[in-house]
Amino acid sequence: MSWETQSAFWKGRRVFLTGHTGFKGSWLAHWLLMLGAEVRGFSLAPESGQVPDGFKPLFEELGLGARLDHLIGDVRDEETLKRSLRAFNPEVVLHLAAQPLVRASYQNPVETYATNVMGTAHLLNACRSVADLRSIVVVSSDKCYENREQLWAYREIDPMGGHDPYSSSKGCAELVTSAFRDSYFPTERADEHGVSISSARAGNVIGGGDWSEDRLIPDAMRSMLAGSPLEIRNPRAVRPWQHVLEPLQGYLKLAYKGAEDPALFSKGWNFGPVDGDALPVGDLADRLAAKMHGKFSWKTAAESGPHEAQLLALDSTAARALLDWKPALCLQGMMDFTASWYSCRSLEQRVEMVSGQITQYTRRLKL
């Protein structure tokens, strides 16, 4: 199925997007608007506490508040979420709202579970009474799997788990999604209800406009702007790095194909990079320093902090074979896209670069 055909699916489509004020959500909202979708966003207000002077949260830089149906809300507030969903009557729901940080989950475990687990349950329960709904994509994480520090990549059939509150909350969210699918939208009755509920598990995403706390690229850029080296806790920890557009391509394809054939696509899917793009944290930091012409440097932190997995890798064979999904950016392209955005000196250049990178990326999808 060509990318042009999939792009046409989104024109005029009503899309309910949670977490639209975050890093990934802002990129996805901008892309959906470029495709001609009608978007209602439901999320907390964009966070500005970690954004350096001279920048704003990506949501604000892109002017998304005036370009879509922008609602401030919390997925832990079930009644407000339910009213917003039913009033909009979406055809597609993309659920990105989450507490996304491992270390923050150690500090606020109950809040993490409330958002990531009960927030997902609230959303799926509300979706049961949406008349025109055709496809739901719940965005999860590579950390949803029971991590055994194994050398081979995790497949969709591997058990859910997690050693820290964040990881286990994502495993729980996957179980909630599976239970709602089997209970209310079973695949064997897809011809009757016509709704797909799928989940998407992606790796560590990078890209322009991310200012989240405790992530490699944002921390590196803040350190560079402050003129000090970045302290990295676990430089040998291996992560499946990918540009933010790679999993977003997967979410869009999954929502589209789920709407077309819910019986086939209503399940969990991995969206990970090619094997060579799974690198130790320190190696990626070195590549970033080279792209920033030595303006950025790093050193190993004296303390490693709480437990985090040392090795993570995803097997994306199913997405490649059945969704016709594959990464469109090599490691160098991913780094070029990311470093170019952070090198922009003006707001106008950064906004143009987001649109330009999406356009460049979709051209690669057509090759």
Side-chain angles (χ1 to χ4, degrees):
M1 191 66 67
S2 70
W3 178 252
E4 289 87 347
T5 301
Q6 294 176 55
S7 298
F9 167 83
W10 294 102
K11 189 172 180 61
R13 192 72 56 183
R14 295 190 307 281
V15 180
F16 191 90
L17 173 61
T18 71
H20 69 294
T21 61
F23 164 55
K24 288 172 70 176
S26 295
W27 274 91
L28 183 53
H30 191 73
W31 197 349
L32 285 166
L33 292 173
M34 290 177 66
L35 291 169
E38 181 184 347
V39 181
R40 169 171 282 190
F42 186 93
S43 180
L44 299 176
E47 295 185 2
S48 58
Q50 297 296 318
V51 181
D53 291 341
F55 295 85
K56 295 187 290 185
L58 184 62
F59 176 83
E60 295 180 3
E61 292 207 339
L62 294 173
L64 289 168
R67 298 169 51 214
L68 52 74
D69 187 359
H70 167 49
L71 299 179
I72 296 295
D74 192 326
V75 293
R76 293 172 294 179
D77 180 354
E78 183 177 11
E79 289 305 314
T80 301
L81 176 62
K82 186 184 298 184
R83 287 195 301 271
S84 300
L85 247 172
R86 289 176 175 174
F88 189 60
N89 190 25
E91 298 157 277
V92 175
V93 171
L94 300 170
H95 180 44
L96 274 67
Q99 193 297 96
L101 302 174
V102 172
R103 284 171 67 87
S105 77
Y106 279 104
Q107 298 164 1
N108 298 294
V110 173
E111 179 181 326
T112 298
Y113 286 109
T115 300
N116 295 353
V117 184
M118 290 309 300
T120 300
H122 292 161
L123 177 85
L124 294 177
N125 194 45
C127 285
R128 294 171 55 197
S129 57
V130 176
D132 291 346
L133 186 60
R134 296 176 58 189
S135 186
I136 306 167
V137 176
V138 175
V139 173
S140 182
S141 166
D142 59 336
K143 296 178 181 64
C144 69
Y145 293 106
E146 181 183 340
N147 195 300
R148 301 171 180 174
E149 304 290 352
Q150 62 192 27
L151 296 178
W152 53 91
Y154 292 95
R155 299 174 297 167
E156 287 87 349
I157 60 173
D158 285 327
M160 299 293 103
H163 298 294
D164 58 85
Y166 169 77
S167 300
S168 67
S169 77
K170 284 299 185 178
C172 290
E174 287 280 355
L175 296 175
V176 167
T177 302
S178 179
F180 269 83
R181 179 193 304 119
D182 294 343
S183 299
Y184 305 109
F185 302 100
T187 54
E188 63 270 18
R189 291 169 49 197
D191 289 342
E192 298 175 32
H193 57 71
V195 178
S196 169
I197 301 184
S198 53
S199 60
R201 304 147 189 178
N204 286 44
V205 297
I206 67 172
D210 188 5
W211 294 113
S212 300
E213 187 177 10
D214 209 33
R215 285 185 183 158
L216 177 61
I217 300 299
D219 287 348
M221 293 300 98
R222 280 188 289 265
S223 295
M224 187 184 74
L225 292 170
S228 59
L230 173 66
E231 293 191 358
I232 296 180
R233 297 187 304 275
N234 297 299
R236 303 317 303 165
V238 176
R239 295 289 182 265
W241 306 101
Q242 55 191 165
H243 190 270
V244 63
L245 291 176
E246 305 281 31
L248 297 188
Q249 176 212 159
Y251 306 163
L252 292 173
K253 282 194 170 185
L254 188 51
Y256 160 71
K257 293 206 169 187
E260 295 295 308
D261 190 347
L264 180 59
F265 296 101
S266 188
K267 54 188 175 184
W269 299 82
N270 287 343
F271 298 102
V274 297
D275 291 342
D277 290 351
L279 292 176
V281 174
D283 288 10
L284 192 78
D286 289 339
R287 290 174 180 266
L288 179 63
K291 291 292 181 185
M292 305 308 291
H293 307 291
K295 297 177 183 178
F296 158 68
S297 62
W298 67 275
K299 62 182 180 180
T300 302
E303 298 182 6
S304 61
H307 175 273
E308 292 188 61
Q310 287 297 110
L311 178 63
L312 285 173
L314 291 176
D315 184 332
S316 304
T317 301
R320 292 170 184 265
L322 299 176
L323 284 172
D324 191 30
W325 175 90
K326 61 181 179 181
L329 291 172
C330 62
L331 182 60
Q332 179 177 336
M334 171 182 71
M335 296 304 297
D336 285 343
F337 268 34
T338 301
S340 296
W341 189 92
Y342 285 104
S343 298
C344 288
R345 296 181 178 276
S346 71
L347 169 63
E348 292 75 16
Q349 288 177 324
R350 294 193 293 271
V351 171
E352 289 176 5
M353 186 157 289
V354 170
S355 297
Q357 288 182 352
I358 290 174
T359 299
Q360 291 179 55
Y361 184 82
T362 53
R363 287 197 190 113
R364 297 182 186 219
L365 297 179
K366 300 173 185 177
L367 297 178

